[in-house]
Amino acid sequence: MGHHATHQQQTSLHDLLRCQGGDVNVERDYDPDGTPGYPGEGRKDAEEYTLAVSEELSDLQERLYASGLTDAEHALSVLVVLQGLDTAGKGGVIRHALGTMDPQGIHVHAFKAPTQEEKQHDFLWRVERELPRPGQIAIFDRSHYEDVLIQRVEQMAAPEEIERRYDAINQFEAATAARGTRIIKCFLHVSRAEQKSRLMARLENKEKFYKFNPDDVDTAQRWDQYMEAYSLALTRCNTPVAPWYVIPSDHKWYRNWAVATLLTEELRSLSLTWPEPDFDLAAQKARVQAL
């Protein structure tokens, strides 16, 4: 498998997985079992392909991080938003797809239910505080979209407030992008049958008990309402500066490869170079030689 071959395949994953816009119906329009753009033969060579992507991703991320240290004023940053129902694999993506990057340049934040302090503020207040700094990649495990997903389905806010939030999110993301942050929003799309199987697997393995939450079953029982809420979020908040990508997630190996590849493509498009030294190279070489 030559590097050139993977490069050829990867060039179009953004186009293949990008949410097409218009009125989205997640279940009708997207196959959670698909493997679009995958260059290999399936699970058996997925590790090899994911490793190849990870090596390039790691190199590009280091360049981005270096730019933040040496020229923070002009350095870009990246925000990866991971959304999906329970078992879709947000944690798995962070561990397996993005785990090879230098932790110094990564900021991972898992958004839980809002705290009392967070409830005193607008819903975007807590999100703003976790955005990436220059040169950094921030990864959101859940995000501001919870405020139009679970809050919509569980009726935690008035309908008109939920309605207001779609435009507020679009404005927030546009402002974030204007400050030099590239935004990649991934909806990890898992089928109802696969979710059931993964929930059961957690109950049948004592090493997975800790992952199981009885509330997840309550959520799964509202499958149709959640699909409708996701369809609306993808319809209303899919903009040129902050597009949605629908990641088929029934195959964990494909999901991990796809997210790593999307991020690699994004970083590749930034044409990142290594910073030039801000010191006299020859003079410093001479000093080290003399040690």
Side-chain angles (χ1 to χ4, degrees):
M1 180 191 77
H3 179 73
H4 182 67
T6 55
H7 200 298
Q8 290 264 297
Q9 292 291 340
Q10 289 167 4
T11 45
S12 61
L13 205 63
H14 267 72
D15 298 333
L16 281 174
L17 297 182
R18 186 167 178 162
C19 180
Q20 292 311 305
D23 278 341
V24 176
N25 177 322
V26 166
E27 290 195 284
R28 180 196 65 206
D29 301 337
Y30 296 99
D31 177 12
D33 192 47
T35 57
Y38 182 69
E41 294 174 39
R43 185 177 187 159
K44 64 177 189 188
D45 57 7
E47 205 171 311
E48 185 187 350
Y49 275 98
T50 305
L51 187 66
V53 174
S54 298
E55 285 171 4
E56 185 181 2
L57 177 56
S58 187
D59 173 69
L60 290 167
Q61 182 249 333
E62 196 180 347
R63 294 179 190 214
L64 181 69
Y65 177 59
S67 72
L69 293 181
T70 55
D71 186 10
E73 196 184 338
H74 298 105
L76 299 168
S77 59
V78 178
L79 171 61
V80 180
V81 170
L82 300 175
Q83 281 291 156
L85 290 173
D86 305 300
T87 78
K90 296 175 288 291
V93 164
I94 293 168
R95 222 172 20 258
H96 300 295
L98 309 177
T100 60
M101 296 188 290
D102 180 352
Q104 292 183 97
I106 305 295
H107 172 60
V108 178
H109 188 79
F111 285 92
K112 308 289 188 197
T115 63
Q116 284 310 119
E117 184 193 13
E118 288 166 352
K119 284 178 182 170
Q120 309 296 313
H121 297 269
D122 181 68
F123 77 103
L124 289 166
W125 177 78
R126 67 178 187 156
V127 183
E128 185 99 49
R129 304 170 74 191
E130 304 297 340
L131 288 172
R133 296 193 303 275
Q136 200 175 50
I137 296 174
I139 302 164
F140 286 177
D141 176 345
R142 303 185 187 273
S143 68
H144 41 298
Y145 283 94
E146 292 296 292
D147 296 277
V148 293
L149 292 165
I150 186 169
Q151 296 229 352
R152 181 190 180 92
V153 175
E154 308 293 344
Q155 299 176 342
M156 296 175 176
E160 57 274 18
E161 167 58 17
I162 298 286
E163 188 56 38
R164 177 193 76 82
R165 288 175 182 173
Y166 295 107
D167 286 339
I169 286 172
N170 288 340
Q171 288 164 11
F172 169 72
E173 290 176 348
T176 301
R179 289 196 300 271
T181 299
R182 295 292 187 97
I183 303 171
I184 306 173
K185 300 184 306 199
C186 300
F187 168 49
L188 307 181
H189 183 25
V190 69
S191 67
R192 197 190 294 231
E194 182 63 20
Q195 183 191 48
K196 179 179 177 176
S197 146
R198 290 179 190 175
L199 285 171
M200 188 58 83
R202 291 178 179 180
L203 291 171
E204 290 173 340
N205 177 350
K206 66 175 188 287
E207 293 174 17
K208 300 269 174 73
F209 289 165
Y210 79 96
K211 287 186 170 187
F212 187 84
N213 181 340
D215 292 348
D216 295 348
V217 182
D218 299 339
T219 300
Q221 288 169 337
R222 297 190 186 87
W223 176 272
D224 292 335
Q225 291 105 300
Y226 271 99
M227 286 297 109
E228 185 186 357
Y230 268 105
S231 297
L232 265 169
L234 267 62
T235 299
R236 300 283 299 274
C237 301
N238 184 39
T239 61
V241 293
W244 274 105
Y245 297 94
V246 181
I247 316 290
S249 297
D250 275 8
H251 300 290
K252 296 175 182 179
W253 56 264
Y254 175 79
R255 175 200 71 203
N256 295 341
W257 172 83
V259 176
T261 300
L262 274 180
L263 181 53
T264 302
E265 284 184 7
E266 193 69 47
L267 290 175
R268 205 188 282 148
S269 76
L270 302 182
S271 305
L272 298 160
T273 54
W274 292 106
E276 292 297 322
D278 58 358
F279 49 82
D280 182 332
L281 191 59
Q284 296 308 316
K285 277 185 176 175
R287 289 182 68 210
V288 171
Q289 193 68 47
L291 287 174

